[in-house]
Structures are given as structure tokens and as C-alpha cells.
Amino acid sequence: MANFQEKADFIWGLADMLRGDYLRREYPDVILPMVVIRRLDLAMAATREAVRQAYEKYKGKLENLHRVLTSAAGGSLVYNTSMSKSI
């Protein structure tokens, strides 16, 4: 459980850096969504390029790209077709 505490301390340390912009009571509303977004970004990292290539190849040719993109994502239902760089 010590590893969990280190991670929690790290996250709340980041919250302390935001002190000027957010009130302490607002930290959970900011930090938790940022952590979730980062975790999703990391979960999609391994298949990101394959999904983008499949999207570019089939967009405009198929009405529903979900099956193609799910397959490109290795069967995962989580994928992103955005061309922006990862976080």
C-alpha cells in the first residue's frame, strides 16, 4: 500500500502547484479528471498509430467505422481518431 500512498502524494503535490488557480476544495474536480484522461491516453498508446491509419484509410468509405477501429485497437472498445499528439 506504500506505493499507492506515494502515487497519492504525487497527485496531491501536483494539486499544490495549482493553488494559485484553484481553491483547495476544487482540487478533486480538477485533478481526478486529469488523471483519468492521462490513464486513457496511456491505455491507447500502443494502438494509437494503427487506429489513426485505419481511420484515414476507411473514413468516407464506410458509414460506421466502429468495427474497423475496434479491430485496429486490438479489440479494445477504447480508441481515439484524433490526430493531435498524446499528452
Side-chain angles (χ1 to χ4, degrees), residues 4-77:
F4 175 81
Q5 188 59 47
E6 289 173 8
K7 291 177 182 177
D9 290 343
F10 174 73
I11 290 169
W12 288 112
L14 293 175
D16 288 338
M17 289 190 313
L18 297 173
R19 187 177 310 231
D21 295 334
Y22 300 99
L23 300 174
R24 183 174 278 296
R25 64 180 163 76
E26 296 174 318
Y27 290 176
D29 296 334
V30 175
I31 298 300
L32 183 58
M34 289 179 9
V35 170
V36 170
I37 289 170
R38 179 62 176 148
R39 294 286 294 159
L40 284 171
D41 183 59
L42 291 172
M44 294 182 290
T47 60
R48 182 175 288 117
E49 192 56 38
V51 169
R52 288 178 181 166
Q53 288 175 0
Y55 177 75
E56 287 298 318
K57 182 176 180 179
Y58 292 105
K59 75 176 178 182
K61 297 177 184 175
L62 296 175
E63 186 174 318
N64 186 349
L65 295 173
H66 180 68
R67 284 188 181 200
V68 171
L69 298 179
T70 299
S71 177
S76 173
L77 297 177

